[in-house]
Amino acid sequence: MAMFRSKFRIFIVCFIWLTGGLSLSAAQNASNYLEELGDKGRADLYAEGLNALNSGLSKFEVGDYSAAVAALSTPAVQMVSSVDLASYFLAESHFHSGSFEKSAKILRTFKDTYPDSKWRDFAQARFGDVLGKIGQHEEALTVYRALLSERKDYPHPGALKMSIAHELL
């Protein structure tokens, strides 16, 4: 069990730090806190994360993007097993509220952070949209074209082609 806690601690520190959530020292402090919580405390934190995730998704669904951002930004959300879902909808919420740079920060690393996520391709398509919104049209074209060529099973190829046409205008 001690080995698990040690690996768990290393994972949490690295995850939080590498995803840009916190500085390394803040991530280490968060890890220390999680270790002190014990199994019951982590279970409570997981439940809190699930509640925040569900709240954020509900707020997103009704178009209350600022409330969705607040809920999905809750640190406990990082404890849920579907953190990719939370990250994707956090980026979507930023996008729909006009915070394109914040959305771009999340989406820029989504593909590498969550390579097996079912949200990966949608995140890449949205990343292209964000790049277009912030005036990085060539980069947007690169993202759209890469998604079309790499993911032959992308469910909305026509939408990507329209996005490419829009960027070329």
Side-chain angles (χ1 to χ4, degrees), residues 33-52:
Y33 172 72
L34 288 172
E35 193 167 309
E36 289 170 13
L37 284 176
D39 292 338
K40 166 115 175 53
R42 283 192 293 276
D44 291 345
L45 194 57
Y46 184 82
E48 182 184 329
L50 280 179
N51 288 336

PDB file of all heavy atoms in Angstrom, residues 33-52:
ATOM      1  N   TYR A  33      -1.344  17.025   0.595  1.00  0.00           N
ATOM      2  CA  TYR A  33      -2.692  17.135   1.134  1.00  0.00           C
ATOM      3  C   TYR A  33      -3.487  15.866   0.842  1.00  0.00           C
ATOM      4  O   TYR A  33      -4.161  15.320   1.716  1.00  0.00           O
ATOM      5  CB  TYR A  33      -3.387  18.361   0.545  1.00  0.00           C
ATOM      6  CG  TYR A  33      -4.847  18.466   0.888  1.00  0.00           C
ATOM      7  CD1 TYR A  33      -5.246  18.798   2.180  1.00  0.00           C
ATOM      8  CD2 TYR A  33      -5.823  18.237  -0.072  1.00  0.00           C
ATOM      9  CE1 TYR A  33      -6.596  18.896   2.508  1.00  0.00           C
ATOM     10  CE2 TYR A  33      -7.165  18.325   0.244  1.00  0.00           C
ATOM     11  CZ  TYR A  33      -7.541  18.654   1.530  1.00  0.00           C
ATOM     12  OH  TYR A  33      -8.866  18.739   1.855  1.00  0.00           O
ATOM     13  N   LEU A  34      -3.400  15.376  -0.408  1.00  0.00           N
ATOM     14  CA  LEU A  34      -4.132  14.163  -0.778  1.00  0.00           C
ATOM     15  C   LEU A  34      -3.668  12.962   0.031  1.00  0.00           C
ATOM     16  O   LEU A  34      -4.467  12.131   0.448  1.00  0.00           O
ATOM     17  CB  LEU A  34      -3.968  13.876  -2.274  1.00  0.00           C
ATOM     18  CG  LEU A  34      -4.710  14.807  -3.205  1.00  0.00           C
ATOM     19  CD1 LEU A  34      -4.321  14.539  -4.646  1.00  0.00           C
ATOM     20  CD2 LEU A  34      -6.216  14.659  -3.022  1.00  0.00           C
ATOM     21  N   GLU A  35      -2.361  12.882   0.269  1.00  0.00           N
ATOM     22  CA  GLU A  35      -1.835  11.767   1.051  1.00  0.00           C
ATOM     23  C   GLU A  35      -2.354  11.834   2.486  1.00  0.00           C
ATOM     24  O   GLU A  35      -2.700  10.821   3.088  1.00  0.00           O
ATOM     25  CB  GLU A  35      -0.316  11.781   1.014  1.00  0.00           C
ATOM     26  CG  GLU A  35       0.279  10.491   1.539  1.00  0.00           C
ATOM     27  CD  GLU A  35       1.752  10.378   1.215  1.00  0.00           C
ATOM     28  OE1 GLU A  35       2.123  10.549   0.050  1.00  0.00           O
ATOM     29  OE2 GLU A  35       2.510  10.118   2.155  1.00  0.00           O
ATOM     30  N   GLU A  36      -2.424  13.029   3.043  1.00  0.00           N
ATOM     31  CA  GLU A  36      -2.920  13.203   4.404  1.00  0.00           C
ATOM     32  C   GLU A  36      -4.407  12.869   4.520  1.00  0.00           C
ATOM     33  O   GLU A  36      -4.879  12.453   5.579  1.00  0.00           O
ATOM     34  CB  GLU A  36      -2.683  14.639   4.878  1.00  0.00           C
ATOM     35  CG  GLU A  36      -1.231  14.965   5.130  1.00  0.00           C
ATOM     36  CD  GLU A  36      -1.001  16.454   5.362  1.00  0.00           C
ATOM     37  OE1 GLU A  36      -1.988  17.194   5.565  1.00  0.00           O
ATOM     38  OE2 GLU A  36       0.165  16.873   5.326  1.00  0.00           O
ATOM     39  N   LEU A  37      -5.147  13.046   3.428  1.00  0.00           N
ATOM     40  CA  LEU A  37      -6.575  12.769   3.456  1.00  0.00           C
ATOM     41  C   LEU A  37      -6.880  11.294   3.732  1.00  0.00           C
ATOM     42  O   LEU A  37      -7.883  10.975   4.353  1.00  0.00           O
ATOM     43  CB  LEU A  37      -7.232  13.157   2.133  1.00  0.00           C
ATOM     44  CG  LEU A  37      -7.457  14.623   1.869  1.00  0.00           C
ATOM     45  CD1 LEU A  37      -8.027  14.802   0.465  1.00  0.00           C
ATOM     46  CD2 LEU A  37      -8.384  15.233   2.891  1.00  0.00           C
ATOM     47  N   GLY A  38      -6.030  10.423   3.220  1.00  0.00           N
ATOM     48  CA  GLY A  38      -6.290   9.000   3.357  1.00  0.00           C
ATOM     49  C   GLY A  38      -7.356   8.557   2.368  1.00  0.00           C
ATOM     50  O   GLY A  38      -7.884   9.343   1.574  1.00  0.00           O
ATOM     51  N   ASP A  39      -7.704   7.271   2.417  1.00  0.00           N
ATOM     52  CA  ASP A  39      -8.646   6.701   1.457  1.00  0.00           C
ATOM     53  C   ASP A  39     -10.027   7.346   1.538  1.00  0.00           C
ATOM     54  O   ASP A  39     -10.636   7.653   0.521  1.00  0.00           O
ATOM     55  CB  ASP A  39      -8.763   5.184   1.670  1.00  0.00           C
ATOM     56  CG  ASP A  39      -7.471   4.459   1.309  1.00  0.00           C
ATOM     57  OD1 ASP A  39      -6.671   5.020   0.525  1.00  0.00           O
ATOM     58  OD2 ASP A  39      -7.263   3.347   1.815  1.00  0.00           O
ATOM     59  N   LYS A  40     -10.550   7.548   2.732  1.00  0.00           N
ATOM     60  CA  LYS A  40     -11.888   8.145   2.898  1.00  0.00           C
ATOM     61  C   LYS A  40     -11.905   9.569   2.360  1.00  0.00           C
ATOM     62  O   LYS A  40     -12.818   9.972   1.651  1.00  0.00           O
ATOM     63  CB  LYS A  40     -12.300   8.144   4.368  1.00  0.00           C
ATOM     64  CG  LYS A  40     -13.506   9.039   4.659  1.00  0.00           C
ATOM     65  CD  LYS A  40     -14.706   8.290   5.106  1.00  0.00           C
ATOM     66  CE  LYS A  40     -15.884   9.134   5.509  1.00  0.00           C
ATOM     67  NZ  LYS A  40     -16.351  10.116   4.601  1.00  0.00           N
ATOM     68  N   GLY A  41     -10.875  10.327   2.686  1.00  0.00           N
ATOM     69  CA  GLY A  41     -10.804  11.712   2.207  1.00  0.00           C
ATOM     70  C   GLY A  41     -10.718  11.790   0.699  1.00  0.00           C
ATOM     71  O   GLY A  41     -11.352  12.652   0.076  1.00  0.00           O
ATOM     72  N   ARG A  42      -9.947  10.881   0.090  1.00  0.00           N
ATOM     73  CA  ARG A  42      -9.859  10.880  -1.370  1.00  0.00           C
ATOM     74  C   ARG A  42     -11.200  10.486  -1.985  1.00  0.00           C
ATOM     75  O   ARG A  42     -11.592  11.024  -3.013  1.00  0.00           O
ATOM     76  CB  ARG A  42      -8.742   9.956  -1.843  1.00  0.00           C
ATOM     77  CG  ARG A  42      -7.360  10.564  -1.679  1.00  0.00           C
ATOM     78  CD  ARG A  42      -6.292   9.784  -2.413  1.00  0.00           C
ATOM     79  NE  ARG A  42      -6.064   8.465  -1.871  1.00  0.00           N
ATOM     80  CZ  ARG A  42      -5.266   8.187  -0.847  1.00  0.00           C
ATOM     81  NH1 ARG A  42      -4.606   9.170  -0.254  1.00  0.00           N
ATOM     82  NH2 ARG A  42      -5.100   6.965  -0.430  1.00  0.00           N
ATOM     83  N   ALA A  43     -11.916   9.559  -1.362  1.00  0.00           N
ATOM     84  CA  ALA A  43     -13.240   9.177  -1.860  1.00  0.00           C
ATOM     85  C   ALA A  43     -14.194  10.371  -1.788  1.00  0.00           C
ATOM     86  O   ALA A  43     -14.982  10.606  -2.714  1.00  0.00           O
ATOM     87  CB  ALA A  43     -13.784   7.994  -1.064  1.00  0.00           C
ATOM     88  N   ASP A  44     -14.121  11.128  -0.699  1.00  0.00           N
ATOM     89  CA  ASP A  44     -14.959  12.322  -0.573  1.00  0.00           C
ATOM     90  C   ASP A  44     -14.599  13.356  -1.639  1.00  0.00           C
ATOM     91  O   ASP A  44     -15.476  13.990  -2.227  1.00  0.00           O
ATOM     92  CB  ASP A  44     -14.813  12.949   0.818  1.00  0.00           C
ATOM     93  CG  ASP A  44     -15.413  12.095   1.918  1.00  0.00           C
ATOM     94  OD1 ASP A  44     -16.189  11.167   1.610  1.00  0.00           O
ATOM     95  OD2 ASP A  44     -15.087  12.355   3.096  1.00  0.00           O
ATOM     96  N   LEU A  45     -13.299  13.505  -1.891  1.00  0.00           N
ATOM     97  CA  LEU A  45     -12.840  14.447  -2.905  1.00  0.00           C
ATOM     98  C   LEU A  45     -13.294  14.002  -4.296  1.00  0.00           C
ATOM     99  O   LEU A  45     -13.693  14.820  -5.124  1.00  0.00           O
ATOM    100  CB  LEU A  45     -11.316  14.581  -2.843  1.00  0.00           C
ATOM    101  CG  LEU A  45     -10.687  15.732  -3.584  1.00  0.00           C
ATOM    102  CD1 LEU A  45     -11.261  17.067  -3.127  1.00  0.00           C
ATOM    103  CD2 LEU A  45      -9.185  15.717  -3.386  1.00  0.00           C
ATOM    104  N   TYR A  46     -13.265  12.687  -4.536  1.00  0.00           N
ATOM    105  CA  TYR A  46     -13.747  12.149  -5.813  1.00  0.00           C
ATOM    106  C   TYR A  46     -15.234  12.458  -5.986  1.00  0.00           C
ATOM    107  O   TYR A  46     -15.662  12.895  -7.059  1.00  0.00           O
ATOM    108  CB  TYR A  46     -13.495  10.640  -5.872  1.00  0.00           C
ATOM    109  CG  TYR A  46     -13.863  10.018  -7.192  1.00  0.00           C
ATOM    110  CD1 TYR A  46     -12.982  10.069  -8.269  1.00  0.00           C
ATOM    111  CD2 TYR A  46     -15.086   9.384  -7.385  1.00  0.00           C
ATOM    112  CE1 TYR A  46     -13.310   9.513  -9.490  1.00  0.00           C
ATOM    113  CE2 TYR A  46     -15.423   8.828  -8.603  1.00  0.00           C
ATOM    114  CZ  TYR A  46     -14.530   8.885  -9.650  1.00  0.00           C
ATOM    115  OH  TYR A  46     -14.861   8.338 -10.862  1.00  0.00           O
ATOM    116  N   ALA A  47     -16.003  12.249  -4.936  1.00  0.00           N
ATOM    117  CA  ALA A  47     -17.443  12.551  -4.988  1.00  0.00           C
ATOM    118  C   ALA A  47     -17.665  14.042  -5.247  1.00  0.00           C
ATOM    119  O   ALA A  47     -18.548  14.423  -6.026  1.00  0.00           O
ATOM    120  CB  ALA A  47     -18.127  12.119  -3.693  1.00  0.00           C
ATOM    121  N   GLU A  48     -16.873  14.880  -4.612  1.00  0.00           N
ATOM    122  CA  GLU A  48     -16.962  16.324  -4.846  1.00  0.00           C
ATOM    123  C   GLU A  48     -16.642  16.641  -6.306  1.00  0.00           C
ATOM    124  O   GLU A  48     -17.300  17.470  -6.939  1.00  0.00           O
ATOM    125  CB  GLU A  48     -15.994  17.059  -3.920  1.00  0.00           C
ATOM    126  CG  GLU A  48     -16.029  18.559  -4.048  1.00  0.00           C
ATOM    127  CD  GLU A  48     -14.982  19.252  -3.186  1.00  0.00           C
ATOM    128  OE1 GLU A  48     -14.637  18.724  -2.106  1.00  0.00           O
ATOM    129  OE2 GLU A  48     -14.511  20.325  -3.604  1.00  0.00           O
ATOM    130  N   GLY A  49     -15.635  15.965  -6.849  1.00  0.00           N
ATOM    131  CA  GLY A  49     -15.272  16.158  -8.248  1.00  0.00           C
ATOM    132  C   GLY A  49     -16.379  15.734  -9.196  1.00  0.00           C
ATOM    133  O   GLY A  49     -16.672  16.421 -10.181  1.00  0.00           O
ATOM    134  N   LEU A  50     -17.027  14.603  -8.901  1.00  0.00           N
ATOM    135  CA  LEU A  50     -18.147  14.153  -9.734  1.00  0.00           C
ATOM    136  C   LEU A  50     -19.304  15.144  -9.685  1.00  0.00           C
ATOM    137  O   LEU A  50     -19.929  15.430 -10.717  1.00  0.00           O
ATOM    138  CB  LEU A  50     -18.630  12.774  -9.280  1.00  0.00           C
ATOM    139  CG  LEU A  50     -17.817  11.587  -9.746  1.00  0.00           C
ATOM    140  CD1 LEU A  50     -18.402  10.293  -9.186  1.00  0.00           C
ATOM    141  CD2 LEU A  50     -17.739  11.523 -11.253  1.00  0.00           C
ATOM    142  N   ASN A  51     -19.581  15.651  -8.490  1.00  0.00           N
ATOM    143  CA  ASN A  51     -20.653  16.654  -8.369  1.00  0.00           C
ATOM    144  C   ASN A  51     -20.330  17.903  -9.170  1.00  0.00           C
ATOM    145  O   ASN A  51     -21.196  18.458  -9.848  1.00  0.00           O
ATOM    146  CB  ASN A  51     -20.892  17.012  -6.897  1.00  0.00           C
ATOM    147  CG  ASN A  51     -21.582  15.901  -6.143  1.00  0.00           C
ATOM    148  OD1 ASN A  51     -22.265  15.078  -6.730  1.00  0.00           O
ATOM    149  ND2 ASN A  51     -21.395  15.865  -4.837  1.00  0.00           N
ATOM    150  N   ALA A  52     -19.083  18.359  -9.106  1.00  0.00           N
ATOM    151  CA  ALA A  52     -18.678  19.549  -9.860  1.00  0.00           C
ATOM    152  C   ALA A  52     -18.747  19.278 -11.364  1.00  0.00           C
ATOM    153  O   ALA A  52     -19.196  20.137 -12.138  1.00  0.00           O
ATOM    154  CB  ALA A  52     -17.267  19.975  -9.449  1.00  0.00           C
TER     155      ALA A  52
END
